Amino acid sequence: QVVGGKVKKPGKRGRKPAKIDLKAKLERSRQSARECRARKKLRYQYLEELVSSRERAICALREELEMYKQWCVAMDQGKIPSEIKALLTGEEQGKAQQNSTKLAKAGKTEANSSSP
């Protein structure tokens, strides 16, 4: 056969397959399968841990939601839950402390700026 001015020999194209030892090929295949199973096992463990942590978070949020619902029911009945009272008094105390520290800091800065 003459193609493009060159003589081509009929036969197979590309590389000739290298003579690979059959036992070595089987061992590589087994090793690859072992590694694949190990990766799969790790992936499933990770996913199971992720699912269980999300389930715990969901349970905690449901409990918190139930607590807020109970607080709302109590407030609809004209009662203020002790937890809310504690939060409100804690916030008021926190605001008073913040204001006093702000005033003290302002006084210090004024004293520092007035004395050169």
Side-chain angles (χ1 to χ4, degrees):
Q1 250 184 342
V2 177
V3 177
K6 295 183 180 179
V7 178
K8 292 266 186 175
K9 296 179 184 176
K12 295 182 181 177
R13 291 184 179 189
R15 289 186 178 185
K16 293 183 180 177
K19 294 191 176 184
I20 300 173
D21 188 19
L22 187 60
K23 288 183 180 180
K25 185 176 180 180
L26 286 173
E27 185 54 39
R28 279 197 311 272
S29 176
R30 289 185 191 116
Q31 181 63 29
S32 177
R34 278 192 292 271
E35 291 171 359
C36 180
R37 287 190 295 271
R39 284 191 305 270
K40 184 177 179 180
K41 186 177 178 181
L42 286 174
R43 186 171 48 248
Y44 273 89
Q45 285 175 349
Y46 166 74
L47 291 173
E48 286 173 358
E49 290 172 7
L50 192 64
V51 166
S52 65
S53 69
R54 298 287 164 90
E55 286 175 346
R56 284 192 300 271
I58 288 170
C59 288
L61 289 170
R62 282 192 177 137
E63 289 173 5
E64 188 178 354
L65 179 64
E66 190 59 36
M67 178 184 67
Y68 292 143
K69 284 181 183 178
Q70 291 172 359
W71 287 5
C72 290
V73 169
M75 286 192 294
D76 287 344
Q77 295 171 353
K79 302 172 188 172
I80 298 177
S82 59
E83 295 90 349
I84 294 178
K85 285 181 184 177
L87 286 173
L88 291 174
T89 56
E91 285 179 8
E92 289 171 3
Q93 290 173 355
K95 286 180 184 177
Q97 287 175 351
Q98 286 176 353
N99 288 338
S100 64
T101 51
K102 284 181 184 176
L103 289 173
K105 286 181 181 178
K108 286 180 184 177
T109 55
E110 285 176 16
N112 290 340
S113 62
S114 64
S115 59

